[in-house]
Amino acid sequence: MTHRQRPADRRAHETIAIEHGNQRYKIGLGRELQPGQTLGPIVEVFLNAQKVNSSLDVLASDGAILMSLLLQHGCPPDVICHAMKRNPNGTPASPLGVAASYLIEQSEQASRSDAVANGNQPKGD
């Protein structure tokens, strides 16, 4: 088992409102702050259903905690996303799968930003 990278006490937090399966959720993404206060990688995920403490909310929250622990133990976001169930059309089958998709989007955006900052052309452009 790999060592857990405990998140810093102070970190940036982004909240995204989604709807999945006719239910509303809020996804929270916690990021480390790099030197110079730039955003670092996502280190924790929060997921809450609209109705607090409902069965749906508890399951969503527990799943997000497990996803956060995976990230903190070094599991790559693309591995987490790939492990999630998908609908026949390729969309995430659960709100947790939607959150995992955001991990991939944010990771790809960070890679493009790093490439530009280092004077390299981003992949796919």
Side-chain angles (χ1 to χ4, degrees):
M1 183 173 185
T2 60
H3 180 72
R4 177 179 173 227
Q5 289 291 109
R6 187 180 177 280
D9 291 335
R10 293 185 54 103
R11 53 196 171 275
H13 186 82
E14 174 185 3
T15 304
I16 303 160
I18 66 163
E19 189 168 316
H20 191 276
N22 296 321
Q23 298 289 326
R24 293 186 196 147
Y25 298 88
K26 290 223 166 112
I27 299 171
L29 303 174
R31 293 173 170 270
E32 293 285 351
L33 291 173
Q34 302 293 339
Q37 299 298 305
T38 59
L39 292 177
I42 295 169
V43 293
E44 62 185 350
V45 178
F46 300 92
L47 182 61
N48 296 97
Q50 184 173 6
K51 188 173 179 185
V52 178
N53 290 327
S54 65
S55 295
L56 215 51
D57 181 56
V58 171
L59 287 171
S61 183
D62 284 353
I65 291 167
L66 293 173
M67 188 181 291
S68 296
L69 288 169
L70 284 168
L71 290 168
Q72 293 165 18
H73 277 89
C75 187
D78 61 325
V79 171
I80 295 170
C81 190
H82 182 73
M84 298 286 157
K85 286 192 169 197
R86 297 259 172 207
N87 292 318
N89 65 0
T91 60
S94 70
L96 199 57
V98 174
S101 294
Y102 278 110
L103 292 177
I104 295 297
E105 287 178 26
Q106 297 298 319
S107 179
E108 288 173 352
Q109 284 179 0
S111 293
R112 284 192 296 273
S113 295
D114 288 346
V116 170
N118 292 327
N120 298 326
Q121 184 67 16
K123 292 180 182 177
D125 291 345

PDB file of all heavy atoms in Angstrom, residues 14-54:
ATOM      1  N   GLU A  14     -13.520  24.272  -5.458  1.00  0.00           N
ATOM      2  CA  GLU A  14     -14.411  24.643  -6.556  1.00  0.00           C
ATOM      3  C   GLU A  14     -15.680  23.818  -6.423  1.00  0.00           C
ATOM      4  O   GLU A  14     -15.620  22.617  -6.157  1.00  0.00           O
ATOM      5  CB  GLU A  14     -13.712  24.329  -7.887  1.00  0.00           C
ATOM      6  CG  GLU A  14     -14.551  24.528  -9.103  1.00  0.00           C
ATOM      7  CD  GLU A  14     -13.830  24.093 -10.375  1.00  0.00           C
ATOM      8  OE1 GLU A  14     -12.703  23.595 -10.302  1.00  0.00           O
ATOM      9  OE2 GLU A  14     -14.426  24.254 -11.445  1.00  0.00           O
ATOM     10  N   THR A  15     -16.836  24.441  -6.611  1.00  0.00           N
ATOM     11  CA  THR A  15     -18.116  23.737  -6.516  1.00  0.00           C
ATOM     12  C   THR A  15     -18.823  23.774  -7.865  1.00  0.00           C
ATOM     13  O   THR A  15     -18.888  24.816  -8.510  1.00  0.00           O
ATOM     14  CB  THR A  15     -19.018  24.377  -5.447  1.00  0.00           C
ATOM     15  OG1 THR A  15     -18.314  24.391  -4.207  1.00  0.00           O
ATOM     16  CG2 THR A  15     -20.300  23.591  -5.275  1.00  0.00           C
ATOM     17  N   ILE A  16     -19.339  22.614  -8.277  1.00  0.00           N
ATOM     18  CA  ILE A  16     -20.035  22.484  -9.549  1.00  0.00           C
ATOM     19  C   ILE A  16     -21.405  21.862  -9.278  1.00  0.00           C
ATOM     20  O   ILE A  16     -21.489  20.824  -8.609  1.00  0.00           O
ATOM     21  CB  ILE A  16     -19.241  21.571 -10.516  1.00  0.00           C
ATOM     22  CG1 ILE A  16     -17.833  22.113 -10.715  1.00  0.00           C
ATOM     23  CG2 ILE A  16     -19.967  21.414 -11.840  1.00  0.00           C
ATOM     24  CD1 ILE A  16     -16.853  21.092 -11.238  1.00  0.00           C
ATOM     25  N   ALA A  17     -22.459  22.483  -9.769  1.00  0.00           N
ATOM     26  CA  ALA A  17     -23.814  21.936  -9.630  1.00  0.00           C
ATOM     27  C   ALA A  17     -24.125  21.097 -10.864  1.00  0.00           C
ATOM     28  O   ALA A  17     -23.883  21.524 -11.986  1.00  0.00           O
ATOM     29  CB  ALA A  17     -24.824  23.057  -9.475  1.00  0.00           C
ATOM     30  N   ILE A  18     -24.639  19.884 -10.634  1.00  0.00           N
ATOM     31  CA  ILE A  18     -25.017  19.005 -11.748  1.00  0.00           C
ATOM     32  C   ILE A  18     -26.402  18.428 -11.493  1.00  0.00           C
ATOM     33  O   ILE A  18     -26.915  18.471 -10.375  1.00  0.00           O
ATOM     34  CB  ILE A  18     -24.008  17.839 -11.951  1.00  0.00           C
ATOM     35  CG1 ILE A  18     -24.027  16.885 -10.747  1.00  0.00           C
ATOM     36  CG2 ILE A  18     -22.625  18.363 -12.245  1.00  0.00           C
ATOM     37  CD1 ILE A  18     -23.391  15.542 -11.018  1.00  0.00           C
ATOM     38  N   GLU A  19     -26.970  17.863 -12.551  1.00  0.00           N
ATOM     39  CA  GLU A  19     -28.194  17.083 -12.430  1.00  0.00           C
ATOM     40  C   GLU A  19     -27.922  15.740 -13.097  1.00  0.00           C
ATOM     41  O   GLU A  19     -27.373  15.679 -14.199  1.00  0.00           O
ATOM     42  CB  GLU A  19     -29.367  17.791 -13.104  1.00  0.00           C
ATOM     43  CG  GLU A  19     -30.686  17.114 -12.800  1.00  0.00           C
ATOM     44  CD  GLU A  19     -31.893  17.940 -13.216  1.00  0.00           C
ATOM     45  OE1 GLU A  19     -31.896  19.152 -12.963  1.00  0.00           O
ATOM     46  OE2 GLU A  19     -32.810  17.336 -13.806  1.00  0.00           O
ATOM     47  N   HIS A  20     -28.283  14.673 -12.406  1.00  0.00           N
ATOM     48  CA  HIS A  20     -28.071  13.325 -12.941  1.00  0.00           C
ATOM     49  C   HIS A  20     -29.229  12.456 -12.479  1.00  0.00           C
ATOM     50  O   HIS A  20     -29.534  12.408 -11.291  1.00  0.00           O
ATOM     51  CB  HIS A  20     -26.736  12.754 -12.440  1.00  0.00           C
ATOM     52  CG  HIS A  20     -26.342  11.505 -13.139  1.00  0.00           C
ATOM     53  ND1 HIS A  20     -26.806  10.273 -12.765  1.00  0.00           N
ATOM     54  CD2 HIS A  20     -25.540  11.295 -14.206  1.00  0.00           C
ATOM     55  CE1 HIS A  20     -26.301   9.357 -13.564  1.00  0.00           C
ATOM     56  NE2 HIS A  20     -25.523   9.953 -14.445  1.00  0.00           N
ATOM     57  N   GLY A  21     -29.874  11.778 -13.415  1.00  0.00           N
ATOM     58  CA  GLY A  21     -31.005  10.915 -13.072  1.00  0.00           C
ATOM     59  C   GLY A  21     -32.123  11.674 -12.379  1.00  0.00           C
ATOM     60  O   GLY A  21     -32.700  11.173 -11.418  1.00  0.00           O
ATOM     61  N   ASN A  22     -32.411  12.881 -12.859  1.00  0.00           N
ATOM     62  CA  ASN A  22     -33.458  13.743 -12.303  1.00  0.00           C
ATOM     63  C   ASN A  22     -33.206  14.130 -10.837  1.00  0.00           C
ATOM     64  O   ASN A  22     -34.142  14.450 -10.115  1.00  0.00           O
ATOM     65  CB  ASN A  22     -34.845  13.106 -12.450  1.00  0.00           C
ATOM     66  CG  ASN A  22     -35.240  12.950 -13.895  1.00  0.00           C
ATOM     67  OD1 ASN A  22     -34.966  13.820 -14.717  1.00  0.00           O
ATOM     68  ND2 ASN A  22     -35.866  11.832 -14.224  1.00  0.00           N
ATOM     69  N   GLN A  23     -31.960  14.045 -10.401  1.00  0.00           N
ATOM     70  CA  GLN A  23     -31.577  14.465  -9.053  1.00  0.00           C
ATOM     71  C   GLN A  23     -30.496  15.532  -9.164  1.00  0.00           C
ATOM     72  O   GLN A  23     -29.661  15.479 -10.067  1.00  0.00           O
ATOM     73  CB  GLN A  23     -31.020  13.268  -8.254  1.00  0.00           C
ATOM     74  CG  GLN A  23     -31.988  12.148  -8.038  1.00  0.00           C
ATOM     75  CD  GLN A  23     -33.082  12.514  -7.050  1.00  0.00           C
ATOM     76  OE1 GLN A  23     -32.856  13.250  -6.098  1.00  0.00           O
ATOM     77  NE2 GLN A  23     -34.281  12.006  -7.293  1.00  0.00           N
ATOM     78  N   ARG A  24     -30.497  16.469  -8.246  1.00  0.00           N
ATOM     79  CA  ARG A  24     -29.473  17.518  -8.243  1.00  0.00           C
ATOM     80  C   ARG A  24     -28.379  17.176  -7.234  1.00  0.00           C
ATOM     81  O   ARG A  24     -28.661  16.681  -6.145  1.00  0.00           O
ATOM     82  CB  ARG A  24     -30.094  18.867  -7.891  1.00  0.00           C
ATOM     83  CG  ARG A  24     -31.029  19.354  -8.959  1.00  0.00           C
ATOM     84  CD  ARG A  24     -31.508  20.743  -8.638  1.00  0.00           C
ATOM     85  NE  ARG A  24     -32.678  21.001  -9.470  1.00  0.00           N
ATOM     86  CZ  ARG A  24     -33.685  21.736  -9.100  1.00  0.00           C
ATOM     87  NH1 ARG A  24     -33.695  22.305  -7.915  1.00  0.00           N
ATOM     88  NH2 ARG A  24     -34.698  21.923  -9.907  1.00  0.00           N
ATOM     89  N   TYR A  25     -27.153  17.486  -7.636  1.00  0.00           N
ATOM     90  CA  TYR A  25     -25.981  17.216  -6.797  1.00  0.00           C
ATOM     91  C   TYR A  25     -25.043  18.413  -6.842  1.00  0.00           C
ATOM     92  O   TYR A  25     -25.072  19.200  -7.784  1.00  0.00           O
ATOM     93  CB  TYR A  25     -25.203  16.007  -7.320  1.00  0.00           C
ATOM     94  CG  TYR A  25     -25.974  14.719  -7.303  1.00  0.00           C
ATOM     95  CD1 TYR A  25     -26.765  14.342  -8.390  1.00  0.00           C
ATOM     96  CD2 TYR A  25     -25.908  13.862  -6.218  1.00  0.00           C
ATOM     97  CE1 TYR A  25     -27.472  13.161  -8.387  1.00  0.00           C
ATOM     98  CE2 TYR A  25     -26.613  12.674  -6.207  1.00  0.00           C
ATOM     99  CZ  TYR A  25     -27.388  12.324  -7.289  1.00  0.00           C
ATOM    100  OH  TYR A  25     -28.090  11.156  -7.286  1.00  0.00           O
ATOM    101  N   LYS A  26     -24.182  18.489  -5.859  1.00  0.00           N
ATOM    102  CA  LYS A  26     -23.084  19.447  -5.873  1.00  0.00           C
ATOM    103  C   LYS A  26     -21.794  18.656  -5.761  1.00  0.00           C
ATOM    104  O   LYS A  26     -21.637  17.802  -4.883  1.00  0.00           O
ATOM    105  CB  LYS A  26     -23.193  20.424  -4.716  1.00  0.00           C
ATOM    106  CG  LYS A  26     -24.348  21.374  -4.903  1.00  0.00           C
ATOM    107  CD  LYS A  26     -23.976  22.777  -4.536  1.00  0.00           C
ATOM    108  CE  LYS A  26     -25.030  23.690  -5.070  1.00  0.00           C
ATOM    109  NZ  LYS A  26     -25.844  24.365  -4.219  1.00  0.00           N
ATOM    110  N   ILE A  27     -20.880  18.928  -6.693  1.00  0.00           N
ATOM    111  CA  ILE A  27     -19.552  18.319  -6.683  1.00  0.00           C
ATOM    112  C   ILE A  27     -18.587  19.378  -6.175  1.00  0.00           C
ATOM    113  O   ILE A  27     -18.585  20.507  -6.664  1.00  0.00           O
ATOM    114  CB  ILE A  27     -19.122  17.879  -8.096  1.00  0.00           C
ATOM    115  CG1 ILE A  27     -20.082  16.830  -8.654  1.00  0.00           C
ATOM    116  CG2 ILE A  27     -17.689  17.348  -8.079  1.00  0.00           C
ATOM    117  CD1 ILE A  27     -19.847  16.507 -10.117  1.00  0.00           C
ATOM    118  N   GLY A  28     -17.791  19.024  -5.200  1.00  0.00           N
ATOM    119  CA  GLY A  28     -16.749  19.913  -4.705  1.00  0.00           C
ATOM    120  C   GLY A  28     -15.392  19.314  -5.014  1.00  0.00           C
ATOM    121  O   GLY A  28     -15.171  18.123  -4.797  1.00  0.00           O
ATOM    122  N   LEU A  29     -14.509  20.119  -5.563  1.00  0.00           N
ATOM    123  CA  LEU A  29     -13.161  19.668  -5.901  1.00  0.00           C
ATOM    124  C   LEU A  29     -12.159  20.476  -5.084  1.00  0.00           C
ATOM    125  O   LEU A  29     -12.096  21.695  -5.210  1.00  0.00           O
ATOM    126  CB  LEU A  29     -12.892  19.856  -7.396  1.00  0.00           C
ATOM    127  CG  LEU A  29     -13.866  19.161  -8.349  1.00  0.00           C
ATOM    128  CD1 LEU A  29     -13.575  19.552  -9.781  1.00  0.00           C
ATOM    129  CD2 LEU A  29     -13.803  17.653  -8.169  1.00  0.00           C
ATOM    130  N   GLY A  30     -11.405  19.802  -4.238  1.00  0.00           N
ATOM    131  CA  GLY A  30     -10.383  20.455  -3.422  1.00  0.00           C
ATOM    132  C   GLY A  30      -9.029  20.319  -4.093  1.00  0.00           C
ATOM    133  O   GLY A  30      -8.654  19.233  -4.520  1.00  0.00           O
ATOM    134  N   ARG A  31      -8.317  21.444  -4.207  1.00  0.00           N
ATOM    135  CA  ARG A  31      -7.012  21.460  -4.879  1.00  0.00           C
ATOM    136  C   ARG A  31      -5.938  21.995  -3.952  1.00  0.00           C
ATOM    137  O   ARG A  31      -6.180  22.905  -3.171  1.00  0.00           O
ATOM    138  CB  ARG A  31      -7.035  22.386  -6.088  1.00  0.00           C
ATOM    139  CG  ARG A  31      -7.913  21.943  -7.199  1.00  0.00           C
ATOM    140  CD  ARG A  31      -7.945  23.077  -8.220  1.00  0.00           C
ATOM    141  NE  ARG A  31      -8.564  22.685  -9.438  1.00  0.00           N
ATOM    142  CZ  ARG A  31      -7.923  22.153 -10.463  1.00  0.00           C
ATOM    143  NH1 ARG A  31      -6.648  21.962 -10.428  1.00  0.00           N
ATOM    144  NH2 ARG A  31      -8.578  21.813 -11.544  1.00  0.00           N
ATOM    145  N   GLU A  32      -4.747  21.443  -4.100  1.00  0.00           N
ATOM    146  CA  GLU A  32      -3.592  21.990  -3.405  1.00  0.00           C
ATOM    147  C   GLU A  32      -3.258  23.337  -4.019  1.00  0.00           C
ATOM    148  O   GLU A  32      -3.503  23.565  -5.205  1.00  0.00           O
ATOM    149  CB  GLU A  32      -2.377  21.064  -3.572  1.00  0.00           C
ATOM    150  CG  GLU A  32      -2.527  19.735  -2.891  1.00  0.00           C
ATOM    151  CD  GLU A  32      -2.363  19.798  -1.382  1.00  0.00           C
ATOM    152  OE1 GLU A  32      -1.961  20.848  -0.845  1.00  0.00           O
ATOM    153  OE2 GLU A  32      -2.644  18.787  -0.744  1.00  0.00           O
ATOM    154  N   LEU A  33      -2.706  24.231  -3.224  1.00  0.00           N
ATOM    155  CA  LEU A  33      -2.185  25.496  -3.735  1.00  0.00           C
ATOM    156  C   LEU A  33      -0.684  25.359  -3.886  1.00  0.00           C
ATOM    157  O   LEU A  33       0.010  24.982  -2.949  1.00  0.00           O
ATOM    158  CB  LEU A  33      -2.529  26.654  -2.787  1.00  0.00           C
ATOM    159  CG  LEU A  33      -4.004  27.018  -2.719  1.00  0.00           C
ATOM    160  CD1 LEU A  33      -4.235  28.057  -1.632  1.00  0.00           C
ATOM    161  CD2 LEU A  33      -4.486  27.533  -4.057  1.00  0.00           C
ATOM    162  N   GLN A  34      -0.198  25.634  -5.077  1.00  0.00           N
ATOM    163  CA  GLN A  34       1.231  25.560  -5.369  1.00  0.00           C
ATOM    164  C   GLN A  34       1.894  26.879  -4.962  1.00  0.00           C
ATOM    165  O   GLN A  34       1.222  27.875  -4.735  1.00  0.00           O
ATOM    166  CB  GLN A  34       1.445  25.299  -6.871  1.00  0.00           C
ATOM    167  CG  GLN A  34       0.792  24.049  -7.391  1.00  0.00           C
ATOM    168  CD  GLN A  34       1.396  22.785  -6.834  1.00  0.00           C
ATOM    169  OE1 GLN A  34       2.529  22.763  -6.365  1.00  0.00           O
ATOM    170  NE2 GLN A  34       0.632  21.706  -6.849  1.00  0.00           N
ATOM    171  N   PRO A  35       3.230  26.902  -4.900  1.00  0.00           N
ATOM    172  CA  PRO A  35       3.917  28.174  -4.630  1.00  0.00           C
ATOM    173  C   PRO A  35       3.441  29.235  -5.623  1.00  0.00           C
ATOM    174  O   PRO A  35       3.238  28.957  -6.796  1.00  0.00           O
ATOM    175  CB  PRO A  35       5.395  27.835  -4.846  1.00  0.00           C
ATOM    176  CG  PRO A  35       5.472  26.367  -4.594  1.00  0.00           C
ATOM    177  CD  PRO A  35       4.159  25.799  -5.070  1.00  0.00           C
ATOM    178  N   GLY A  36       3.252  30.434  -5.135  1.00  0.00           N
ATOM    179  CA  GLY A  36       2.717  31.500  -5.983  1.00  0.00           C
ATOM    180  C   GLY A  36       1.202  31.457  -6.064  1.00  0.00           C
ATOM    181  O   GLY A  36       0.597  32.149  -6.863  1.00  0.00           O
ATOM    182  N   GLN A  37       0.586  30.607  -5.248  1.00  0.00           N
ATOM    183  CA  GLN A  37      -0.872  30.485  -5.162  1.00  0.00           C
ATOM    184  C   GLN A  37      -1.525  29.997  -6.454  1.00  0.00           C
ATOM    185  O   GLN A  37      -2.688  30.300  -6.708  1.00  0.00           O
ATOM    186  CB  GLN A  37      -1.504  31.807  -4.718  1.00  0.00           C
ATOM    187  CG  GLN A  37      -1.041  32.263  -3.343  1.00  0.00           C
ATOM    188  CD  GLN A  37      -1.411  31.281  -2.237  1.00  0.00           C
ATOM    189  OE1 GLN A  37      -2.561  30.941  -2.072  1.00  0.00           O
ATOM    190  NE2 GLN A  37      -0.429  30.818  -1.493  1.00  0.00           N
ATOM    191  N   THR A  38      -0.794  29.258  -7.293  1.00  0.00           N
ATOM    192  CA  THR A  38      -1.416  28.650  -8.469  1.00  0.00           C
ATOM    193  C   THR A  38      -2.096  27.352  -8.051  1.00  0.00           C
ATOM    194  O   THR A  38      -1.711  26.737  -7.054  1.00  0.00           O
ATOM    195  CB  THR A  38      -0.375  28.362  -9.575  1.00  0.00           C
ATOM    196  OG1 THR A  38       0.612  27.479  -9.052  1.00  0.00           O
ATOM    197  CG2 THR A  38       0.275  29.649 -10.060  1.00  0.00           C
ATOM    198  N   LEU A  39      -3.105  26.949  -8.808  1.00  0.00           N
ATOM    199  CA  LEU A  39      -3.849  25.740  -8.469  1.00  0.00           C
ATOM    200  C   LEU A  39      -3.047  24.496  -8.813  1.00  0.00           C
ATOM    201  O   LEU A  39      -2.519  24.372  -9.905  1.00  0.00           O
ATOM    202  CB  LEU A  39      -5.182  25.709  -9.208  1.00  0.00           C
ATOM    203  CG  LEU A  39      -6.199  26.762  -8.787  1.00  0.00           C
ATOM    204  CD1 LEU A  39      -7.447  26.657  -9.651  1.00  0.00           C
ATOM    205  CD2 LEU A  39      -6.555  26.630  -7.326  1.00  0.00           C
ATOM    206  N   GLY A  40      -2.989  23.588  -7.880  1.00  0.00           N
ATOM    207  CA  GLY A  40      -2.317  22.316  -8.090  1.00  0.00           C
ATOM    208  C   GLY A  40      -3.335  21.236  -8.414  1.00  0.00           C
ATOM    209  O   GLY A  40      -4.480  21.514  -8.783  1.00  0.00           O
ATOM    210  N   PRO A  41      -2.944  19.991  -8.236  1.00  0.00           N
ATOM    211  CA  PRO A  41      -3.841  18.875  -8.580  1.00  0.00           C
ATOM    212  C   PRO A  41      -5.018  18.768  -7.610  1.00  0.00           C
ATOM    213  O   PRO A  41      -4.970  19.241  -6.484  1.00  0.00           O
ATOM    214  CB  PRO A  41      -2.931  17.650  -8.459  1.00  0.00           C
ATOM    215  CG  PRO A  41      -1.838  18.070  -7.537  1.00  0.00           C
ATOM    216  CD  PRO A  41      -1.651  19.531  -7.751  1.00  0.00           C
ATOM    217  N   ILE A  42      -6.065  18.114  -8.087  1.00  0.00           N
ATOM    218  CA  ILE A  42      -7.229  17.839  -7.242  1.00  0.00           C
ATOM    219  C   ILE A  42      -6.830  16.750  -6.256  1.00  0.00           C
ATOM    220  O   ILE A  42      -6.296  15.714  -6.648  1.00  0.00           O
ATOM    221  CB  ILE A  42      -8.430  17.400  -8.098  1.00  0.00           C
ATOM    222  CG1 ILE A  42      -8.863  18.543  -9.006  1.00  0.00           C
ATOM    223  CG2 ILE A  42      -9.590  16.948  -7.210  1.00  0.00           C
ATOM    224  CD1 ILE A  42      -9.860  18.155 -10.066  1.00  0.00           C
ATOM    225  N   VAL A  43      -7.080  17.004  -4.973  1.00  0.00           N
ATOM    226  CA  VAL A  43      -6.689  16.048  -3.940  1.00  0.00           C
ATOM    227  C   VAL A  43      -7.875  15.523  -3.145  1.00  0.00           C
ATOM    228  O   VAL A  43      -7.720  14.609  -2.344  1.00  0.00           O
ATOM    229  CB  VAL A  43      -5.641  16.646  -2.981  1.00  0.00           C
ATOM    230  CG1 VAL A  43      -4.332  16.886  -3.703  1.00  0.00           C
ATOM    231  CG2 VAL A  43      -6.148  17.914  -2.332  1.00  0.00           C
ATOM    232  N   GLU A  44      -9.041  16.122  -3.345  1.00  0.00           N
ATOM    233  CA  GLU A  44     -10.219  15.578  -2.682  1.00  0.00           C
ATOM    234  C   GLU A  44     -11.478  15.941  -3.461  1.00  0.00           C
ATOM    235  O   GLU A  44     -11.518  16.936  -4.176  1.00  0.00           O
ATOM    236  CB  GLU A  44     -10.323  16.042  -1.234  1.00  0.00           C
ATOM    237  CG  GLU A  44     -10.460  17.509  -1.028  1.00  0.00           C
ATOM    238  CD  GLU A  44     -10.433  17.885   0.443  1.00  0.00           C
ATOM    239  OE1 GLU A  44     -10.501  17.006   1.312  1.00  0.00           O
ATOM    240  OE2 GLU A  44     -10.353  19.088   0.713  1.00  0.00           O
ATOM    241  N   VAL A  45     -12.468  15.074  -3.308  1.00  0.00           N
ATOM    242  CA  VAL A  45     -13.733  15.228  -4.016  1.00  0.00           C
ATOM    243  C   VAL A  45     -14.858  15.138  -2.988  1.00  0.00           C
ATOM    244  O   VAL A  45     -14.834  14.280  -2.105  1.00  0.00           O
ATOM    245  CB  VAL A  45     -13.915  14.115  -5.074  1.00  0.00           C
ATOM    246  CG1 VAL A  45     -15.245  14.245  -5.789  1.00  0.00           C
ATOM    247  CG2 VAL A  45     -12.760  14.119  -6.062  1.00  0.00           C
ATOM    248  N   PHE A  46     -15.815  16.041  -3.110  1.00  0.00           N
ATOM    249  CA  PHE A  46     -17.021  16.000  -2.294  1.00  0.00           C
ATOM    250  C   PHE A  46     -18.196  15.847  -3.251  1.00  0.00           C
ATOM    251  O   PHE A  46     -18.186  16.399  -4.339  1.00  0.00           O
ATOM    252  CB  PHE A  46     -17.191  17.304  -1.499  1.00  0.00           C
ATOM    253  CG  PHE A  46     -16.060  17.580  -0.562  1.00  0.00           C
ATOM    254  CD1 PHE A  46     -14.984  18.340  -0.968  1.00  0.00           C
ATOM    255  CD2 PHE A  46     -16.077  17.074   0.729  1.00  0.00           C
ATOM    256  CE1 PHE A  46     -13.934  18.606  -0.106  1.00  0.00           C
ATOM    257  CE2 PHE A  46     -15.036  17.331   1.596  1.00  0.00           C
ATOM    258  CZ  PHE A  46     -13.955  18.105   1.185  1.00  0.00           C
ATOM    259  N   LEU A  47     -19.194  15.089  -2.851  1.00  0.00           N
ATOM    260  CA  LEU A  47     -20.395  14.925  -3.669  1.00  0.00           C
ATOM    261  C   LEU A  47     -21.583  14.833  -2.733  1.00  0.00           C
ATOM    262  O   LEU A  47     -21.613  13.979  -1.848  1.00  0.00           O
ATOM    263  CB  LEU A  47     -20.293  13.668  -4.536  1.00  0.00           C
ATOM    264  CG  LEU A  47     -21.451  13.392  -5.478  1.00  0.00           C
ATOM    265  CD1 LEU A  47     -21.632  14.506  -6.498  1.00  0.00           C
ATOM    266  CD2 LEU A  47     -21.250  12.060  -6.188  1.00  0.00           C
ATOM    267  N   ASN A  48     -22.526  15.736  -2.914  1.00  0.00           N
ATOM    268  CA  ASN A  48     -23.710  15.755  -2.061  1.00  0.00           C
ATOM    269  C   ASN A  48     -24.967  15.867  -2.897  1.00  0.00           C
ATOM    270  O   ASN A  48     -25.016  16.633  -3.846  1.00  0.00           O
ATOM    271  CB  ASN A  48     -23.651  16.934  -1.081  1.00  0.00           C
ATOM    272  CG  ASN A  48     -22.490  16.793  -0.135  1.00  0.00           C
ATOM    273  OD1 ASN A  48     -21.445  17.374  -0.353  1.00  0.00           O
ATOM    274  ND2 ASN A  48     -22.656  15.983   0.893  1.00  0.00           N
ATOM    275  N   ALA A  49     -25.982  15.093  -2.507  1.00  0.00           N
ATOM    276  CA  ALA A  49     -27.285  15.177  -3.151  1.00  0.00           C
ATOM    277  C   ALA A  49     -28.037  16.364  -2.561  1.00  0.00           C
ATOM    278  O   ALA A  49     -27.698  16.869  -1.491  1.00  0.00           O
ATOM    279  CB  ALA A  49     -28.070  13.882  -2.930  1.00  0.00           C
ATOM    280  N   GLN A  50     -29.073  16.791  -3.277  1.00  0.00           N
ATOM    281  CA  GLN A  50     -29.828  17.955  -2.838  1.00  0.00           C
ATOM    282  C   GLN A  50     -30.495  17.712  -1.483  1.00  0.00           C
ATOM    283  O   GLN A  50     -30.498  18.578  -0.619  1.00  0.00           O
ATOM    284  CB  GLN A  50     -30.883  18.322  -3.872  1.00  0.00           C
ATOM    285  CG  GLN A  50     -31.627  19.581  -3.519  1.00  0.00           C
ATOM    286  CD  GLN A  50     -32.549  20.040  -4.622  1.00  0.00           C
ATOM    287  OE1 GLN A  50     -32.728  19.358  -5.616  1.00  0.00           O
ATOM    288  NE2 GLN A  50     -33.155  21.189  -4.453  1.00  0.00           N
ATOM    289  N   LYS A  51     -31.034  16.515  -1.277  1.00  0.00           N
ATOM    290  CA  LYS A  51     -31.690  16.215  -0.007  1.00  0.00           C
ATOM    291  C   LYS A  51     -30.656  15.659   0.966  1.00  0.00           C
ATOM    292  O   LYS A  51     -30.232  14.510   0.870  1.00  0.00           O
ATOM    293  CB  LYS A  51     -32.826  15.218  -0.215  1.00  0.00           C
ATOM    294  CG  LYS A  51     -33.660  15.016   1.021  1.00  0.00           C
ATOM    295  CD  LYS A  51     -34.876  14.161   0.757  1.00  0.00           C
ATOM    296  CE  LYS A  51     -35.657  13.983   2.030  1.00  0.00           C
ATOM    297  NZ  LYS A  51     -36.776  13.074   1.858  1.00  0.00           N
ATOM    298  N   VAL A  52     -30.249  16.496   1.909  1.00  0.00           N
ATOM    299  CA  VAL A  52     -29.195  16.154   2.858  1.00  0.00           C
ATOM    300  C   VAL A  52     -29.584  14.952   3.722  1.00  0.00           C
ATOM    301  O   VAL A  52     -30.721  14.826   4.152  1.00  0.00           O
ATOM    302  CB  VAL A  52     -28.878  17.372   3.754  1.00  0.00           C
ATOM    303  CG1 VAL A  52     -27.828  17.035   4.793  1.00  0.00           C
ATOM    304  CG2 VAL A  52     -28.437  18.549   2.910  1.00  0.00           C
ATOM    305  N   ASN A  53     -28.628  14.054   3.920  1.00  0.00           N
ATOM    306  CA  ASN A  53     -28.761  12.843   4.738  1.00  0.00           C
ATOM    307  C   ASN A  53     -29.743  11.814   4.187  1.00  0.00           C
ATOM    308  O   ASN A  53     -30.121  10.883   4.894  1.00  0.00           O
ATOM    309  CB  ASN A  53     -29.090  13.184   6.194  1.00  0.00           C
ATOM    310  CG  ASN A  53     -27.919  13.831   6.889  1.00  0.00           C
ATOM    311  OD1 ASN A  53     -26.766  13.521   6.594  1.00  0.00           O
ATOM    312  ND2 ASN A  53     -28.199  14.749   7.789  1.00  0.00           N
ATOM    313  N   SER A  54     -30.165  11.970   2.936  1.00  0.00           N
ATOM    314  CA  SER A  54     -30.972  10.930   2.295  1.00  0.00           C
ATOM    315  C   SER A  54     -30.033   9.774   1.942  1.00  0.00           C
ATOM    316  O   SER A  54     -28.810   9.909   1.986  1.00  0.00           O
ATOM    317  CB  SER A  54     -31.626  11.477   1.024  1.00  0.00           C
ATOM    318  OG  SER A  54     -30.629  11.807   0.061  1.00  0.00           O
TER     319      SER A  54
END
